[in-house]
Amino acid sequence: MVSAAAAVGETPQELVIVSLYPRDMNIYGDRGNVLAIERRATAHGFVPRVVEVNPGDPLPETIDLIVGGGGQDSGQGRVAADLALRADQFRALADDGVPMLMICGLYQLFGHRFVTHTGEELAGIGVLDVETRGGSERMIGNIVLDTAEFGEIIGYENHSGNTTLGPGSTPLGRVVQGAGNNPNDGVEGARSNNVIGSYLHGSLLPKNPALSDFLIGEAARRRYGSFEPRAELNETVRRARESAKRRPR
């Protein structure tokens, strides 16, 4: 079986990372997730290649991992029409095990639908079994999740969407501090196959390398057959996590 991280003296293996709609969906520093994946993949011994895909741009022939962010309602409107044209492609990629991280606005559009606070309905593509309605309460501040697979996840939420999960998706984690998907359910995010949706900005991945490693590991196993982790948690990340946890909402 081919090793996912190239051994010394071997040609490093490439990972193609699609940055989805960065022109419209890049609020609260979500591009930091792409940068974190690049650096973490490099630390694991890969050569990351980032391809930006905006409305009208073709998807690359090879896709190992997809990362998308949040945006204003106007940005969501622009990308929703483009997403509809690619819906079958994204559903097929998700079914084939391509790892994806969708934050905030794209989390909502990867569900079945998003109804804004004014009543406008934006159709989603149904990769995640969730739907969202705009609410009157804004959920904002540092947030901490407890997860079985990734340990403690730390981020920052700023949204008024009330997202509910159907039986086809499971929560990313249980809320320890913060609001999460909505003020009532006590959970945050959604997972289906290797697709993760979440409201956590921050950016999310720099403070949560376990999530980066999951995405990179699934991408490597899918393309190369295995994954041998090399990167470690550094002191800067540890301090950033502890600082965020101590800050009041």
Side-chain angles (χ1 to χ4, degrees), residues 133-187:
R133 290 183 175 272
S136 58
E137 177 182 348
R138 192 146 199 94
M139 293 160 272
I140 182 170
N142 290 299
I143 178 170
V144 179
L145 309 180
D146 178 61
T147 76
E149 185 171 356
F150 308 116
E152 198 170 62
I153 294 177
I154 298 169
Y156 182 86
E157 60 182 345
N158 187 353
H159 66 100
S160 58
N162 290 290
T163 297
T164 54
L165 275 61
S169 287
T170 58
L172 173 60
R174 180 180 61 84
V175 176
V176 177
Q177 170 187 315
N181 284 332
N182 60 65
N184 303 312
D185 291 350
V187 296

Side-chain angles (χ1 to χ4, degrees), residues 13 25 37 60 78 81 128 162 182 193 218:
Q13 295 166 330
M25 309 298 280
I37 283 283
R78 281 191 292 271
L128 294 166
N162 290 290
N182 60 65
N193 295 322
E218 291 303 318

Side-chain angles (χ1 to χ4, degrees), residues 67-79:
V67 181
Q72 304 291 347
D73 287 355
S74 58
Q76 283 180 273
R78 281 191 292 271
V79 304

